[in-house]
Amino acid sequence: DTTLLQLMNSAFVSLSQITYSCNGAVRDMLCDDKGCVFIAVFGAHSHEVNPCFDATVCAMRMKDALDELNFERFSLGVSFGECFCGEVGPSIRADYVVMGTEVNMAARLMGKAPNRGILASKRVYTNSKKFILFRQSEHLKVKGKDGFFHAYIPEARAFAPSTSIIDDGNLSDSPEQPFILLPSREYEMTKMLRALHEAEVSIPKVLILCGGPFLGKSRMISSLSENAISANFTVLQSFRTSLDSFTSYFPFRQITLTALLMCASKLLGQVTDDEVAAIEMLIENKILTKTDRVVLGSILPTVSDSQLLSLLKGQSTTALTKSISDTLIKLFVPLQPIMVVFEGDGEIDPSSWSVISEMQQRAVVECSRLLLVISSRNVLTIPSAVSHLQREAEYAKLTPLDKYETEIYLEVLLGVHDKGIGVDQKLLDAVHDRANGCPSFIEYIVSWALGKKMIEYDEGKNVMSFNLPVTQSEDVAAAIPKELSSIVLASFNDLPAILWDVLKIASCIGFSFDENAYEALDENLDFMPRVKTLAATHDVFERIDGHRYKWKHQAVYEAVKSLLIGNQRAQIHSMIVDVFEHYHKNGHFSNMVKCDLHRLFAWHCTLAGKWDAAYNQYMEAGKRAEETYNFPEAAKMYEEAISSQKKIDPLPLLRSRLLPTVKLGNCLRELARYNDAEEVLKTCLEEAERAMKKSDADEQMYVHSLTALAALNQAQSKYNEAKELYEKALPIARNLQESRTSLWLAVHIAGYAETLRKSGDLPTAETLHWEALHIRSCSANEGACTSLELAISYTQLGCTLFGQKKYEEAYKQHRLALKTRFEYLDFSHGHVSESLNYCAEALCSLGRAADGIPLAIHAVNIRKVVFGTSHPAYAHALSILASCYHAVGRSCDARDYFEECLSICEAVFQKNHANIIPNLMNYGKVLCSTGDYEKAKSVFQRAIVIHKKNFTEGQRASELETCQSQVQELTEKIESNTKALQCASVCERNMPIPTVDIKKKGTPIIVITDIGRDVDDEYALVLLASLARMHLLDPIAVVATLSPQRERAYLARGVLDILGFPNIPIGIGSCGGAKGKAGLDVYSAEYSRSCSCIYECGVELMARALSASPGKSV
């Protein structure tokens, strides 16, 4: 009978919905020849509500629903008591069952109930009579129960049904106590206060507080914070959500945000809650730089944009760690003394550990009044790279209270401490055993027992003891519920169902959450307003800042979370996903960062078991992370996407299978994890090649796989392997992408061009780079490519042109890159230094080395700060500065810089790396000019050996020919003139006097200065440089006088070099009669530099300058 079948389906759907809305679960729906039975269970998986009340209301609503469906015969029975709940049966055919006497009683009551009526047991009546009006039934007798008894018929709610949020019930009834310094805590607190005091007197410390859940870590930190604030410390605290485990630097997000706002307020008097406005004000007042803004973008994406964040691409993790530490210290210094707290159970990502380590080491000098506090549930897993923290940190460890401490705490909670009143031994044993030594649980047990009037003062024994019925007096422990969640949540038993829904949703979201992230739940569920209601009326949640909340009590959070079984959690996450999807389609989520939005989607999809959606959202989150050059996070997203993909049935198409793997490989390459990247990408390429032989070939995916592995090989200087892969990929890519604005194609073309450039095929590389530049320029005009990305094309093309000795064209491209970068960045940025470097190199080759030296000096200084003195980028800047000095005749200075450059390269690069060859060749030329032919010959011979190890015949042939030619010439010189074996150091003593030409250069002038004492002398040299460029004056010598005259000569040398006059000789004058006198020190300047070309005798320099000039002209 289809009509009957449809009616039964409608009934089951309606009854199921009613059950879930009343906090119940559907146990079974059975049909047989006797009829149909619907079984629902309440309280089997939770303690959040009064299950008798819920079950009775559910039965009343079911009766109404069945009446509306016009069922002629039905009855309902409700019973309450202990039952067996659990999984029964073998793994291949297991089922979750609820069975026992009370299940049978419910069935018997259902059978005895009148048609279209309800019968409830006495226990149900007892627990629900405050809220529901009952009528007593006639005497009944049922199978399995002796004698007659009354059942109860529910008739109506005892008050008018209302969906409004009530404010009765208050968690503060639990004895939330102030901090109690128990004996085992006293020693640990002393250590913590000692660390605070040391930070106060400029001894920076790292404090690690460990201990299991509910042992009082938060209270210890809260007490320490109160002491810190009393000592005028600034206290900054981290904030963590469930999603933050995916992200790099997540512990620093809230800390950095708060520090930004506080700095703007303290230093500028500008109170704002907008981090973008705060950072703009700090930059405008030169407290921070544009570079700092880029760096902070890796922690707070909201303060930067894609144009600036693109500059983080390719930056080593070590350099980024240093940059982040630099910027954070700038923010922390004005807020000293400062205490920074990292809470979150020790879940700190490796990148953040590196920053903590860097800051701890540098704080001694740069931010000495700093205390870093790290809270952890377990023993911290500190990465090996920063293992020194384990040795240097101060440790405090919390353990469960022993019985003596439990007794003290009970006395405090019961208000009898120091009053001569004790605690009954049975009460002490029961509480200590059930609470497991956790102070929070002791509080909840005492609060619960006091609420039930179960604790009283025994005057005869002068102790506080349990007041139990005579039948239970001997079994004190049995009086306390075995499930502590029953005690923890006891004050919530009367909470309306709608507020329980909010608690359950919040427990699924996590211990802390962002209001903006879950604004979508407000539309149908009124989620955040109800969270705020629970925070205000029941003390469940607390606001961290403007839009972030967390559970106030960890125990309540854990208890609510434990009530939900797996399928209930999945249903809640599924509901959240549905709401998010609807909300997203309507273009909302304006307050969320896109990457966070997709990460949030993906996380909920995973927990809901929606693997297709999870895969798509993780891919989108990875893409967003890549766009902000956050490669650690992007790699994590792609790993999650791959994991989700494996659970999709049936398996997705080839492209969907391989795309996350390729992207993961690219991210690992950017992170310099070359071995991991190679393993991932080779596997991917093999699968793509197998597919190309079948009908499901995906050519675009094949190109992706080829070029990803090619880029990896290029990064490792495996140019032949990279070239072969690109030659396979590019023809296919050109066929697939005919658009002249295809950035996808431009990236592959530029990648191939760079491989060719580095392997020596410069003409082909130039052609390809011009093509890539044209595509990117068109894309930039359409807004698809940023100006800073365009600067990369200018730089790559400039390097290619330079390699072909097209110096003028190369200089033009590098200057375009410099102009573009300087438009967006400050002068101290690493990318600006790159363009300065290449411009200096091009000027040197154009015969304008004197103009190139100031640029090269700035590049060296920037890279020294940004990358450190052991980085290849710093070595490259030194080599270009050395080449410029060599070009203006200061070969001995050039030699010193080349030797420093080579020492860095030898330490950083693998043995016989191809990148060392140009530096060796230039070093050899400098040695030739100083007369050290023997050493120069050995340098060129080593360059030949390295070349042959890295390149095949014909590759970069001009380099090899030059080296071989130099070796031959040097061999002949050594054989023909043995005197040349000694190093001629004439250049060190006899830097030539510039040619004097009064008509073209102006009046020759000799300057005698005590530079370094006051800035006026330095200003005078700046003015002199301007007059020289106007051809009014022609400086031919500078002599530094007044003790310490050598340091003054070094400063004068640096000033003239930075002004573009490296060929003016410097001499050391007299002490001016002030040798050894105090107050004559030279002020420091980063451009002050020692120089082997300085004249030791200033008088000799002056005599030579006068001799080289026409009479009476100087």
Side-chain angles (χ1 to χ4, degrees), residues 305-324:
D305 57 31
S306 59
Q307 187 92 282
L308 296 174
L309 289 171
S310 67
L311 300 169
L312 298 175
K313 183 177 182 179
Q315 190 169 6
S316 70
T317 51
T318 303
L320 185 57
T321 295
K322 187 176 183 301
S323 298
I324 290 173

Side-chain angles (χ1 to χ4, degrees), residues 249 295 312 314-326 358 362 863 865-868 871 873:
Y249 310 114
V295 169
L312 298 175
Q315 190 169 6
S316 70
T317 51
T318 303
L320 185 57
T321 295
K322 187 176 183 301
S323 298
I324 290 173
S325 300
D326 286 339
E358 178 76 13
R362 292 172 54 184
R863 292 192 169 194
V865 173
V866 173
F867 298 105
H871 196 278

Side-chain angles (χ1 to χ4, degrees), residues 262-318:
M262 293 183 75
C263 275
S265 174
K266 184 171 184 177
L267 301 179
L268 306 176
Q270 299 290 329
V271 178
T272 177
D273 59 358
D274 184 348
E275 62 268 29
V276 175
I279 199 168
E280 286 176 349
M281 288 188 286
L282 292 170
I283 291 171
E284 184 179 346
N285 288 273
K286 303 192 183 306
I287 297 166
L288 296 179
T289 66
K290 286 187 277 185
T291 300
D292 293 321
R293 184 172 190 169
V294 175
V295 169
L296 287 180
S298 61
I299 301 174
L300 292 172
T302 52
V303 304
S304 198
D305 57 31
S306 59
Q307 187 92 282
L308 296 174
L309 289 171
S310 67
L311 300 169
L312 298 175
K313 183 177 182 179
Q315 190 169 6
S316 70
T317 51
T318 303

